[in-house]
Amino acid sequence: RMDRLDWKIIDALERDGRKSFADLGEAVGLSKSPCWTRVRSLEEQGIIRGYAARLDPFALGLEVQSFVEVRISLDAHAEFEAAVMAHPAVVECHTTAGDSDYMLKVFARSVDHLDELLRHDLYKLPGVHRLATVVCLKTIKRQGQLAEWARTTEQR
């Protein structure tokens, strides 16, 4: 179970994963060494999964974001999931309950590029029976902060 300092650490790192241990420790009220020890523990527990730069897809020319619902045949889950993991256009893949088996998040350079991606790549993934695509017109919120939400809901 995490204590108050652990919550402060993950909140601070979620906002800025490039903080030095000295700066992080100062922000949460610890010296550098105990702060490092706590961060290592949070990493070992799998609470902190890694550190990465957040890239802006639009700045990279990937201006069309879409969500693709996928229905596949019952015997193709392993092959489908392996193919999705290997496909660079699929940035997220989730299993779902309801009419579809999976929900994919993909980016494309244009609507024409998305059409090509759907017809020539995604539709040909193992076991695919049906695709239903929703094109995102505008993203209101991206990459929300989980630490504060998880901390407040833990106490309920």
Side-chain angles (χ1 to χ4, degrees):
R1 187 156 168 100
M2 296 190 347
D3 66 14
R4 183 182 55 82
L5 285 172
D6 291 334
W7 284 110
K8 282 183 168 183
I9 288 169
I10 66 169
D11 184 57
L13 285 175
E14 191 174 33
R15 294 175 193 282
D16 181 3
R18 295 183 67 174
K19 277 188 182 296
S20 69
F21 286 112
D23 290 343
L24 180 60
E26 186 177 320
V28 302
L30 288 173
S31 63
K32 181 179 174 180
S33 183
C35 184
W36 178 84
T37 301
R38 282 181 175 259
V39 170
R40 290 288 302 146
S41 174
L42 292 165
E43 290 169 348
E44 289 168 4
Q45 293 174 61
I47 293 168
I48 297 174
R49 295 189 341 207
Y51 305 88
R54 289 189 215 157
L55 304 179
D56 184 334
F58 300 101
L60 295 171
L62 298 169
E63 298 180 1
V64 178
Q65 174 180 286
S66 60
F67 300 93
V68 181
E69 294 181 14
V70 183
R71 183 178 291 166
I72 67 167
S73 58
L74 291 174
D75 61 347
H77 288 277
E79 295 84 3
F80 175 82
E81 290 175 13
V84 164
M85 292 296 290
H87 200 294
V90 179
V91 296
E92 290 182 19
C93 175
H94 308 272
T95 59
T96 59
D99 290 336
S100 299
D101 298 306
Y102 296 91
M103 175 73 74
L104 309 180
K105 180 179 178 182
V106 300
F107 286 94
R109 296 199 172 278
S110 64
V111 172
D112 287 341
H113 183 224
L114 176 62
D115 182 56
E116 289 291 316
L117 176 65
L118 292 169
R119 287 186 204 212
H120 301 291
D121 285 20
L122 300 183
Y123 200 82
K124 293 180 181 178
L125 292 176
V128 170
H129 284 292
R130 182 181 63 85
L131 301 177
T133 305
V134 176
V135 174
C136 176
L137 299 178
K138 180 179 177 182
T139 298
I140 307 303
K141 181 178 182 179
R142 181 186 316 267
Q143 196 70 32
Q145 306 293 312
L146 289 175
E148 180 62 19
W149 173 243
R151 184 188 63 76
T152 58
T153 59
E154 179 190 53
Q155 297 171 359
R156 290 184 183 170

